[in-house]
Amino acid sequence: SCLTDSGRAGRRPASMYFVSFEQFFSAARQLLAEQPDKCRFVLRYRHVDGELVFKVTDDRVCLKFKTSQANGVRKAERLNALFFDAATVANPRDAVLGDAAMSAAAADGAS
């Protein structure tokens, strides 16, 4: 589930804040698989609020997740690894979707 923030009128894409990091990560993976050449991510730490804000966009869709928990760094490493893998292979879509298959297999093995 996510919260939609329509933003200002104009060319700016609508932002969606996700409540769960797993849902955010899944949506980011799907967005990266669809348009690997245009998709990018930004991490921003807001010291005033003590929040780490994750943003993934392809200029059409803007996905966001924010956390103030200490494990935010591990989440950032996971997102960074996804984009790094996509950037270093010949077919980014296969790398991203392959990561999804490995994640699903690991989840099945942990059950």
Side-chain angles (χ1 to χ4, degrees):
S1 66
C2 62
L3 305 173
T4 302
D5 175 18
S6 60
R8 292 184 222 139
R11 300 178 65 109
R12 190 171 147 195
S15 297
M16 294 187 291
Y17 276 92
F18 286 81
V19 179
S20 159
F21 181 77
E22 292 305 319
Q23 291 173 343
F24 168 78
F25 188 78
S26 177
R29 182 182 315 152
Q30 182 178 359
L31 191 62
L32 181 60
E34 289 172 4
Q35 295 203 1
D37 295 344
K38 295 185 181 193
C39 195
R40 63 191 181 280
F41 80 97
V42 176
L43 296 174
R44 184 177 65 179
Y45 179 71
R46 295 182 41 89
H47 181 70
V48 175
D49 302 327
E51 291 181 338
L52 184 60
V53 180
F54 298 77
K55 176 181 167 183
V56 175
T57 185
D58 68 352
D59 293 329
R60 286 184 311 107
V61 177
C62 182
L63 311 172
K64 291 184 178 183
F65 174 77
K66 61 183 172 181
T67 183
S68 59
Q69 297 177 355
N71 67 354
V73 173
R74 278 182 270 159
K75 293 175 182 176
E77 289 174 351
R78 189 171 165 202
L79 186 64
N80 189 46
L82 175 71
F83 275 78
F84 185 77
D85 289 346
T88 57
V89 296
N91 190 347
R93 183 177 166 96
D94 288 346
V96 172
L97 295 177
D99 180 53
M102 285 189 295
S103 294
D108 288 342
S111 308

